[in-house]
Amino acid sequence: MMNESIKPNENDWRIFWFTALRVVIGWHFLFEGLIKLAHPAWSAEGYLVNSWGPLAPLFQGMAALQVQDTFLLNWILPDSMSETCWILGLTDYFIPWALVLAGLGLMAGLFTTLAAWLAIGLLALFIAAAPPVDLLPQGAEADWTVFYADLNYAQWAGRSMVGSEGNYYLVNKNLVELMALAALLTMNGSKLYGLDNVLAQFGEKGALAAAEAEEPRPAAPNYGAPVSGRVG
């Protein structure tokens, strides 16, 4: 009976293209994260402050929330940090490293499912903050002055962002990438080319060896035992 399971050595084009899709998306995430880490001046402030859409007040409030506005932090931290925008600080730290981790996982094919879900979560946040629809008031312009210094290093947003490489409506590159990752999740990550596949093969070999070791062996005949009963 033919083995219908997908294996990398079957030269299946589906495996090649899904692996290629995973790698190129991983490279995009990795490069975005490394660029942000390489530029200490980068901040998500412009992205949050100039967000639009139904969740804009939430993101703008997150960017402006200070330590003095949070009772527990205001009680724990020194007065010198009272005006620190703590959620913005956490965001500035978390986003680059999350991008790097998601990118590395996708490129290497290591913990692929976890990396894909992390990437989907990030993309969902980006879309929520900057949906691909023009919801700015008539005649209004987004104020990206706080973002001009690093505009070349953070072109995440949609059609209202200064310097955007294109115009979008309902569908933008973030949504396309999110859908591609969702399609990737329909595949078993350990069946694609990558470290998950290597680990899965080692695991299968180890399980097979353990099963063979536990298999009972027939007892060897004892030719030296006395024969009972009489002959004659």
Side-chain angles (χ1 to χ4, degrees):
M1 182 177 179
M2 182 179 294
N3 185 4
E4 297 180 354
S5 62
I6 301 176
K7 296 181 179 179
N9 59 7
E10 289 178 350
N11 195 26
D12 192 320
W13 281 105
R14 290 173 298 168
I15 293 174
F16 172 79
W17 287 115
F18 270 100
T19 302
L21 179 66
R22 189 198 70 210
V23 171
V24 296
I25 294 177
W27 168 249
H28 178 215
F29 274 76
L30 177 61
F31 188 72
E32 285 277 7
L34 291 176
I35 286 296
K36 290 168 179 56
L37 289 174
H39 294 271
W42 177 85
S43 174
E45 181 181 5
Y47 198 79
L48 296 174
V49 169
N50 294 289
S51 59
W52 59 89
L55 297 179
L58 172 63
F59 289 106
Q60 292 164 4
M62 289 168 55
L65 188 65
Q66 298 179 346
V67 169
Q68 63 186 357
D69 301 323
T70 308
F71 173 78
L72 182 60
L73 294 179
N74 192 40
W75 180 60
I76 296 175
L77 298 176
D79 293 340
S80 59
M81 300 183 64
S82 62
E83 296 184 358
T84 301
C85 298
W86 65 276
I87 292 184
L88 177 60
L90 289 176
T91 303
D92 290 344
Y93 179 82
F94 169 77
I95 291 294
W97 283 110
L99 288 167
V100 168
L101 291 175
L104 286 174
L106 290 170
M107 286 195 69
L110 180 63
F111 306 121
T112 303
T113 300
L114 182 61
W117 277 115
L118 175 58
I120 287 175
L122 291 169
L123 290 169
L125 288 174
F126 300 158
I127 294 171
V133 291
D134 190 359
L135 296 177
L136 290 173
Q138 188 68 26
E141 293 290 339
D143 179 15
W144 288 96
T145 54
V146 296
F147 215 42
Y148 283 164
D150 291 310
L151 191 59
N152 293 328
Y153 309 120
Q155 302 221 1
W156 296 349
R159 62 191 300 259
S160 294
M161 181 174 180
V162 177
S164 175
E165 77 282 10
N167 295 294
Y168 308 105
Y169 184 70
L170 299 182
V171 177
N172 63 3
K173 61 182 181 182
N174 289 334
L175 182 59
V176 171
E177 225 168 25
L178 188 151
M179 298 296 287
L181 286 166
L184 185 62
L185 285 173
T186 64
M187 296 288 290
N188 185 342
S190 64
K191 301 299 183 182
L192 302 178
Y193 297 110
L195 293 180
D196 282 339
N197 178 266
V198 175
L199 294 175
Q201 290 187 23
F202 275 112
E204 290 176 1
K205 291 179 180 178
L208 182 61
E212 292 177 349
E214 293 177 359
E215 187 175 322
R217 298 180 180 178
N222 188 353
Y223 296 106
V227 179
S228 60
R230 293 188 307 169
V231 177

